[in-house]
């Protein structure tokens, strides 16, 4: 079992910066994929960025060049630094983790993640 708690959301103006944090607890040593997703009203979850246990990161097209995913070197913490924010980045952002040892050969952003946090709201005003 893995428990995830996000923090760092808030309201910013267009062009602003936010850094989200996700603290994992439980069987964190088993995490194979660790990532950020987002969802708005009436839509499904959308992958933002994920990082695997080898440190390889994958970004959605909209996130490349603006967002950076990273992990703490020692503690079970995941970050998402978001720069040049736009109103269309206004969503609830969720941290997710997966511990399945089965190799995933598809798009890392499409990998099913079994564990989810409660989400943190990001609002960008124009």
């Amino acid at each position: 079992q893995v428990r995830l708690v996000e923090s760092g959301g808030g309201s910013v103006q267009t062009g602003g910066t936010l850094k989200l944090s996700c603290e994992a607890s439980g069987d964190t040593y088993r995490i194979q994929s660790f990532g950020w997703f987002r969802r708005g009203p009436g839509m499904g979850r959308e992958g933002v960025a994920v990082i695997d246990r080898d440190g390889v990161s994958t970004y959605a097209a909209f996130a490349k060049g603006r967002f950076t995913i990273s992990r703490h070197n020692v503690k079970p913490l995941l970050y998402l630094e978001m720069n040049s924010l736009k109103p269309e980045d206004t969503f609830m952002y969720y941290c997710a983790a997966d511990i399945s040892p089965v190799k995933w050969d598809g798009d890392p952003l499409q990998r099913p993640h079994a564990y989810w946090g409660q989400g943190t709201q990001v609002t960008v005003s124009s």
Side-chain angles (χ1 to χ4, degrees):
Q1 296 287 329
V2 174
R3 291 168 294 280
L4 304 170
V5 178
E6 304 96 334
S7 61
S11 298
V12 296
Q13 292 188 323
T14 296
T17 295
L18 281 174
K19 186 173 183 177
L20 307 183
S21 298
C22 174
E23 182 173 5
S25 60
D27 296 333
T28 60
Y29 66 96
R30 300 173 64 187
I31 293 176
Q32 300 291 326
S33 178
F34 210 178
W36 293 96
F37 296 76
R38 66 188 192 181
R39 183 172 63 186
M43 61 177 282
R45 276 189 291 241
E46 175 180 50
V48 178
V50 296
I51 188 166
D52 68 17
R53 65 182 300 131
D54 295 324
V56 177
S57 56
T58 302
Y59 293 89
F62 64 81
K64 289 180 180 178
R66 296 192 302 130
F67 296 180
T68 302
I69 190 170
S70 61
R71 298 179 310 192
H72 194 284
N73 288 337
V74 177
K75 299 178 181 180
L77 290 166
L78 184 71
Y79 304 104
L80 184 70
E81 182 166 343
M82 304 185 293
N83 299 306
S84 302
L85 282 163
K86 307 173 183 179
E88 50 264 45
D89 294 317
T90 295
F91 288 100
M92 185 74 82
Y93 285 73
Y94 297 87
C95 175
D98 192 57
I99 62 174
S100 173
V102 177
K103 182 175 171 56
W104 178 261
D105 292 323
D107 181 352
L109 292 172
Q110 300 299 321
R111 175 182 179 142
H113 287 69
Y115 300 98
W116 295 83
Q118 293 299 305
T120 185
Q121 178 68 37
V122 172
T123 302
V124 185
S125 58
S126 57

